[in-house]
Amino acid sequence: MDISMKNARSLFEKKQYSAAFDMYTELVKTEENKKEVWFWVSKSFLFSSQAPMNDKRQELFLDSFSAACKAAETIDEMLTLEHDMLETLNEWKRKTIKEKLKGIKKNPTLEDCNKYIAIFPGFVWLELFIQVRARDCQVVNDYIENNGLEKGEFGNKFPSIAVTNSVTDDEICSTELQAAKDIFLTEQNRLATFDDVSADSASSVCERILRGLFVARSLSTIHSCKESNSDIHCSQLKLKAEITSFLLDAKISVNGAQVSILLDGRLKDYNILQETYTEIQIIDPSFNLPPLPSVIPEKPAVLPNASNSNSEGCYVATAVYGSYDCPEVWTLRRFRDNTLAKSLFGRLFISLYYAVSPMLVKWFGKTEWFKNMWKPILDEKVKALNLNGVENTPYEDRQW
């Protein structure tokens, strides 16, 4: 029997937790030392489980631990089991945190990040349930009855033994901070690989990079070490600021035109950056405030001023109507600046337009067939815009 126990223990140490669980479960039927075997059943079951456990698995785990406690013959044995299982829980907690963060680094999504955050209340409840199950056993009931105690009095007489292997807030913060740094670096490197992209692929590229950056920023301050360790907290805030600044500054080349990867919600991120800098300066007065990025996104291409010659900007419309300053082109310029430029797809369309239209106008702009082909299309668009409230009065292009 000792050989079987050693084999089961060997499987556990090799992290073959499911196989160890199966072997210990078989040993329960024959082994005389039920206390030890049931403890290893519960330990193997815990380490073979993913966090958070569903209700059924959690109950099975607690039942096997209760069986170990029920087999205890003295109060000291019960307290040892309780302490050892709380130590085990913290080992599992440390392992789970690392595994979850590893998974997020491979595929950073806010959904996975939220699932990660959701595991922490489960750890607290499991710790409480372990303590409750440990003390709900025959040896405790006998002691209470023999000594004329109440349940509360027993708890005062035998408080839970402090767990020395507890995962500290500083540990969690440091682990999350490193994961955030790794994801941030990955997305920076990813962006650097795109020298120039087409308008069709730009949206998916930006979305992938932004997803990773938002996860990295979330991870950087999920668990604040504000009170326990100001140095770690300051590092968290500095990384958060660095990621936010990068979000506001980062650009991608789309058909030769530089486009900000973050086009929407920039004011919110700008405010986040300012607030973070303020927090950093409170903790670290020597911190030198870097220049703040612009809250206005980088324009996708060189957009003309009203004073520019009609060889620039709204190329096709200018060629068709003969002037950059006329009611039809004023309408189209307003639509470009006030509608298209406010969305990612709109700005990508502008990028594509300014990448292609100058060459088309250079080749065909003076031909009648080119003007005759485009004029009905533009006339219809201008008419629709005017009916929807877009003015056709003199207009100066927006300065970005």
Side-chain angles (χ1 to χ4, degrees), residues 235-254:
S235 297
Q236 289 178 307
L237 291 172
K238 286 179 179 178
L239 180 60
K240 180 181 179 182
E242 188 181 354
I243 295 170
T244 306
S245 181
F246 182 81
L247 273 166
L248 290 163
D249 263 344
K251 302 173 184 66
I252 190 169
S253 178
V254 182

Side-chain angles (χ1 to χ4, degrees), residues 32 34 81 86 140 146 149 159 162 164 169 172 188 229 240-241 261 266 275 298 303 307 364:
E32 292 182 4
K34 302 291 187 185
L81 286 170
L86 290 174
V140 173
N146 294 336
L149 299 177
T164 57
D169 289 342
I172 295 172
Q188 286 177 299
N229 192 317
K240 180 181 179 182
I261 66 167
R266 289 179 64 90
E275 291 165 5
E298 179 74 15
L303 296 180
S307 59
F364 310 115

Side-chain angles (χ1 to χ4, degrees), residues 79-148:
L79 292 175
T80 299
L81 286 170
E82 178 188 44
H83 176 265
D84 288 353
M85 186 49 70
L86 290 174
E87 291 273 10
T88 300
L89 177 68
N90 276 284
E91 282 183 54
W92 179 67
K93 180 179 179 181
R94 186 178 283 105
K95 167 182 169 282
T96 299
I97 289 171
K98 289 180 179 178
E99 285 182 351
K100 292 290 182 185
L101 289 175
K102 197 179 195 179
I104 292 174
K105 284 196 285 187
K106 287 181 181 176
N107 183 35
T109 66
L110 289 174
E111 182 183 2
D112 285 344
C113 198
N114 289 333
K115 286 179 182 177
Y116 167 72
I117 297 169
I119 68 177
F120 287 91
F123 292 140
V124 176
W125 280 109
L126 264 182
E127 184 175 336
L128 177 62
F129 290 152
I130 287 169
Q131 292 169 328
V132 170
R133 291 295 187 93
R135 289 156 189 265
D136 185 22
C137 61
Q138 192 59 47
V139 70
V140 173
N141 293 333
D142 290 344
Y143 186 92
I144 289 172
E145 185 177 340
N146 294 336
N147 290 274

Side-chain angles (χ1 to χ4, degrees), residues 45 51 55 97 112 142 191 207 209 223 245 296 329 335 338 347 373 391:
F45 188 84
D55 291 343
I97 289 171
D112 285 344
D142 290 344
L191 181 61
E207 182 182 351
I209 293 169
H223 290 97
S245 181
I296 304 300
V329 180
F335 174 65
N338 299 329
R347 293 182 71 83
M373 178 182 73
E391 296 180 5

Side-chain angles (χ1 to χ4, degrees), residues 316-330:
V316 173
T318 300
V320 169
Y321 293 111
S323 172
Y324 188 69
D325 287 307
C326 65
E328 293 84 1
V329 180
W330 288 329

Side-chain angles (χ1 to χ4, degrees), residues 276-313:
T276 307
Y277 280 151
T278 300
E279 286 187 74
I280 294 170
Q281 287 180 311
I282 292 171
I283 302 171
D284 181 8
S286 65
F287 175 71
N288 292 320
L289 185 69
L292 285 165
S294 173
V295 71
I296 304 300
E298 179 74 15
K299 54 188 175 183
V302 177
L303 296 180
N305 294 324
S307 59
N308 287 355
S309 71
N310 61 17
S311 63
E312 293 185 1

